[in-house]
């Protein structure tokens, strides 16, 4: 099991050919209080970089892009009633969606945890 | 020189810093660009700051706003030529909300006007202040002297514990009622304090020398019930209170009647007119305006924000002018400008957000009741 990160502050946890996607601790701290999350439903297909979900804080609406191409197998429906999970546990229970990878080689272009930490430190 | 060039040059003008810039940063304020200033949008978080203000007392630095003095000959007449409010009979140390109008009756800014012993003291929006000054200079006779008090800071202390907190430092402020003001001193500082604000709560606005601002803010924040509050909560608080934000809910195209601000047109001025745009404004007062600013409650949890179009079926009937999540209500709310036929309370509309329709309903404002400190009826 390995975890990857994007410059748009998403994390991707890969197990077999299923990737779980969420936003990072840094992203939630920048967004502030999350009040609404719209996650994609099962069966939707995304190319890498497509708008896949919406997260709204008190301040603003932000898009969440699919960090890899694939087909949605599950959206985190708990977030509809408990959007604040994105603030309290962004890299755990506050995950957004799971998708079946179309092309595992896309993961090669993403950062590992160390590289992401350096990236955030440089912002 | 092209306008693009001018726009580009304007963008290169760096934001100004508030007199308390370092103070905000030291308290964890996250600074953003607003109205040409670096301003704190939040400290610990918008939601917590909002709720703190509704339950305790919040200190807002609004030094970006324009504090303007009018002195000289016939300042009342001059100001009355561009606002629809009763200025001539405004008593000393009383204040009034008013609107700066252009010749077409459009709102150039909204402002507070206070009569003081020897001047009129105006507080105008930060983003409009230089345009307001230019407009007044152009409109007023040379005998009216217009002075921007750019060496003065401005705070707002808002919330149910604001009076207790401020009167622990300056006991005399307890005697002020809503929309009254006066001069006070505290440890050698001269303060101009009014009982007013932009949150719907009881509270005060405090004008003082920039040099004293940090020391005074420290004294206030040393009180357990007082915390610094950022722009983010200022916006959600005023939205819940149903108070319009210039540049969003009001603009140059909007008349006072469209803005649902008819209360700002005083009785004598209704009868006499004699202010910029009076023809349109008084015409709309009797005949109705084509559009109206309304409150909107929103179904579900997704916030509906500024710019979202409002529909009845396929018909476009208006636009959302501000919107967001209301922490004290626990649901999204909004304000919009809609056609008169769709402005009645209870009217069902749909807002389009990212290609999706969200049900909204025209609602009475304020969304959260005002708690101003008014004299008790005998």
């Amino acid at each position: 099991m390995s975890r990857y990160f994007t410059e748009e502050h998403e994390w991707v946890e890969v197990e077999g050919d299923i990737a779980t996607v969420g936003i990072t601790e840094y992203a939630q701290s920048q967004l502030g209080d999350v009040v609404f999350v719209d996650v994609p439903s099962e069966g939707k297909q995304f190319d890498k970089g497509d708008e896949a979900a919406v997260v709204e804080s008190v301040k603003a609406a932000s898009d969440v892009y699919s960090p890899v191409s694939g087909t949605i197998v599950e959206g985190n429906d708990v977030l509809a009633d408990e959007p604040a999970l994105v603030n309290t546990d962004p890299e755990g229970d506050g995950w957004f969606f799971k998708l079946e990878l179309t092309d595992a080689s896309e993961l090669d272009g993403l950062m590992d945890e160390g590289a992401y930490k350096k990236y955030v430190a440089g912002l | 020189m092209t306008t693009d060039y001018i726009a580009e040059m304007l963008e290169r003008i760096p934001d100004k810093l508030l007199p308390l810039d370092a103070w905000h940063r030291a308290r964890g304020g996250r600074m953003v660009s607003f109205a040409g200033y670096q301003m704190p949008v939040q400290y610990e978080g918008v939601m917590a700051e909002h709720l703190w203000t509704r339950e305790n007392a919040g200190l807002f630095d609004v030094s970006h706003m324009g504090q303007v003095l009018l002195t000289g000959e016939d300042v009342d007449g001059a100001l009355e030529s561009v606002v629809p409010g009763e200025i001539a009979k405004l008593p000393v140390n009383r204040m009034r909300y008013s609107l700066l109008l252009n010749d077409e009756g459009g709102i150039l800014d909204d402002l507070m006007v206070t009569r003081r012993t020897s001047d009129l003291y105006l507080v105008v929006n930060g983003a409009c202040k230089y345009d307001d000054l230019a407009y007044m200079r152009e409109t007023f006779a040379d005998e009216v002297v217009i002075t921007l008090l750019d060496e003065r800071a401005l705070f707002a202390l808002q919330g149910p514990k604001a009076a207790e907190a401020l009167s622990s430092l300056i006991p005399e402020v307890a005697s002020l009622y809503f929309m009254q003001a006066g001069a006070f001193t505290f440890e050698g500082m001269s303060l101009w304090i009014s009982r007013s604000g932009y949150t719907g709560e009881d509270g005060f606005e405090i004008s003082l020398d920039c040099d004293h601002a940090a020391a005074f803010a420290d004294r206030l924040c040393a009180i357990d019930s007082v915390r610094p509050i950022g722009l983010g909560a200022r916006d959600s608080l005023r939205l819940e209170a149903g108070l319009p934000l210039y540049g969003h809910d009001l603009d140059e195209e909007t008349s006072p009647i469209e803005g649902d601000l008819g209360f700002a047109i005083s009785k004598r001025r209704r009868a006499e007119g004699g202010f910029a745009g009076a023809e349109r404004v008084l015409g709309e007062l009797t005949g109705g305006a084509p559009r109206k600013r309304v409150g909107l409650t929103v179904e579900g949890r997704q916030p509906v924000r500024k710019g979202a179009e409002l529909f009845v079926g396929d018909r476009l009937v208006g636009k959302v002018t501000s919107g967001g999540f209301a922490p004290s209500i626990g649901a999204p709310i909004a304000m919009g400008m809609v056609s008169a036929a769709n402005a009645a309370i209870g009217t069902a509309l749909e807002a389009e957000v990212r290609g999706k329709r969200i049900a909204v309903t025209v609602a009475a404002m304020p969304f959260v009741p005002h708690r101003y400190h008014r004299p008790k009826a005998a």
Side-chain angles (χ1 to χ4, degrees), chain B residues 71-136:
Chain B
T71 52
E73 283 176 36
D74 192 24
V75 290
D76 297 359
L79 189 58
E80 282 199 352
S81 73
V82 290
V83 306
E86 171 68 74
I87 305 301
K89 290 180 191 155
L90 184 62
V92 170
N93 291 351
R94 297 296 174 94
M95 59 202 293
R96 166 156 289 167
Y97 173 78
S98 202
L99 303 160
L100 190 68
L101 301 179
N102 63 24
D103 287 337
E104 289 75 48
I107 302 171
L108 294 172
D109 199 358
D110 61 347
L111 70 161
M112 285 290 190
V113 183
T114 310
R115 154 104 44 221
R116 309 203 300 188
T117 315
S118 54
D119 56 50
L120 289 177
Y121 166 69
L122 317 182
V123 177
V124 304
N125 280 298
C128 305
K129 61 187 175 186
Y130 298 111
D131 288 341
D132 293 353
L133 289 173
Y135 180 65
M136 289 190 284

Side-chain angles (χ1 to χ4, degrees), chain A residues 12-77:
Chain A
V12 187
E13 175 103 13
V14 179
E15 210 175 348
D17 60 354
I18 301 296
T20 304
V21 177
I23 68 169
T24 65
E25 169 59 33
Y26 175 83
Q28 79 76 21
S29 76
Q30 291 294 308
L31 282 172
D33 306 302
V34 171
V35 296
F36 175 80
V37 182
D38 190 22
V39 297
S41 46
E42 192 185 333
K44 276 203 168 176
Q45 294 186 4
F46 295 110
D47 287 334
K48 179 179 173 154
D50 283 353
E51 291 169 14
V54 177
V55 56
E56 301 226 15
S57 70
V58 177
K59 285 176 285 183
S62 310
D63 290 308
V64 176
Y65 304 101
S66 189
V68 285
S69 306
T71 304
I72 298 293
V73 294
E74 190 183 354
N76 187 359
D77 294 330

Side-chain angles (χ1 to χ4, degrees), chain B residues 13 53 82 94 120 129 142 146 154 172 174 180 223 241 245 267 278 286 289 304 313 346 371:
Chain B
I13 298 172
T53 306
V82 290
R94 297 296 174 94
L120 289 177
K129 61 187 175 186
D142 292 343
I146 304 166
L154 188 65
E172 300 81 8
Q180 295 183 350
I223 300 167
L245 172 60
K267 194 176 160 196
T286 48
V304 170
R371 296 197 285 183

Side-chain angles (χ1 to χ4, degrees), chain B residues 245-262:
Chain B
L245 172 60
Y246 192 80
H248 293 246
D249 310 299
L250 307 175
D251 57 30
E252 280 185 40
E253 308 291 315
T254 311
S255 74
I257 308 303
E258 289 177 327
D260 197 23
L261 301 168

Side-chain angles (χ1 to χ4, degrees), chain B residues 50 54 199-201 239-242 326 328-329 366-371:
Chain B
H50 178 115
R54 287 262 184 259
T199 59
E201 297 296 329
L239 184 60
E240 288 183 346
S328 298
I329 299 170
F367 298 98
V368 170
H370 294 162
R371 296 197 285 183

Side-chain angles (χ1 to χ4, degrees), chain B residues 47-257:
Chain B
M47 197 94 84
E49 291 168 33
H50 178 115
L51 296 172
W52 181 268
T53 306
R54 287 262 184 259
E55 287 160 21
N56 299 283
L59 179 67
F60 304 76
D61 181 4
V62 288
S63 302
H64 65 298
M65 297 188 82
Q67 301 180 66
V68 180
L69 289 189
L70 302 184
T71 52
E73 283 176 36
D74 192 24
V75 290
D76 297 359
L79 189 58
E80 282 199 352
S81 73
V82 290
V83 306
E86 171 68 74
I87 305 301
K89 290 180 191 155
L90 184 62
V92 170
N93 291 351
R94 297 296 174 94
M95 59 202 293
R96 166 156 289 167
Y97 173 78
S98 202
L99 303 160
L100 190 68
L101 301 179
N102 63 24
D103 287 337
E104 289 75 48
I107 302 171
L108 294 172
D109 199 358
D110 61 347
L111 70 161
M112 285 290 190
V113 183
T114 310
R115 154 104 44 221
R116 309 203 300 188
T117 315
S118 54
D119 56 50
L120 289 177
Y121 166 69
L122 317 182
V123 177
V124 304
N125 280 298
C128 305
K129 61 187 175 186
Y130 298 111
D131 288 341
D132 293 353
L133 289 173
Y135 180 65
M136 289 190 284
R137 285 199 177 109
E138 182 189 300
T139 314
F140 294 174
D142 292 343
E143 288 70 28
V144 176
V145 181
I146 304 166
T147 311
L148 178 66
L149 301 177
D150 48 11
E151 301 295 315
R152 300 284 280 187
L154 188 65
F155 291 128
L157 184 69
Q158 301 279 296
K161 295 186 181 167
E164 185 190 306
L166 190 59
S167 59
S168 74
L169 302 181
I170 309 163
E172 300 81 8
V173 300
S175 66
L176 294 174
Y177 285 110
F178 182 58
M179 297 299 259
Q180 295 183 350
F184 299 85
T185 55
F186 174 68
E187 297 184 351
M189 308 174 194
S190 318
L191 310 169
W192 179 259
I193 300 178
S194 63
R195 199 144 192 174
S196 56
Y198 193 45
T199 59
E201 297 296 329
D202 182 24
F204 301 86
E205 290 170 301
I206 304 150
S207 167
L208 75 172
D209 272 351
C210 287
D211 292 345
H212 295 144
F216 192 70
D218 279 338
R219 291 299 294 269
L220 282 173
C221 287
I223 300 167
D224 283 345
S225 61
V226 179
R227 285 188 188 168
I229 306 295
L231 272 183
R234 183 170 162 82
D235 190 50
S236 54
L237 288 158
R238 71 89 196 168
L239 184 60
E240 288 183 346
L243 301 171
L245 172 60
Y246 192 80
H248 293 246
D249 310 299
L250 307 175
D251 57 30
E252 280 185 40
E253 308 291 315
T254 311
S255 74
I257 308 303

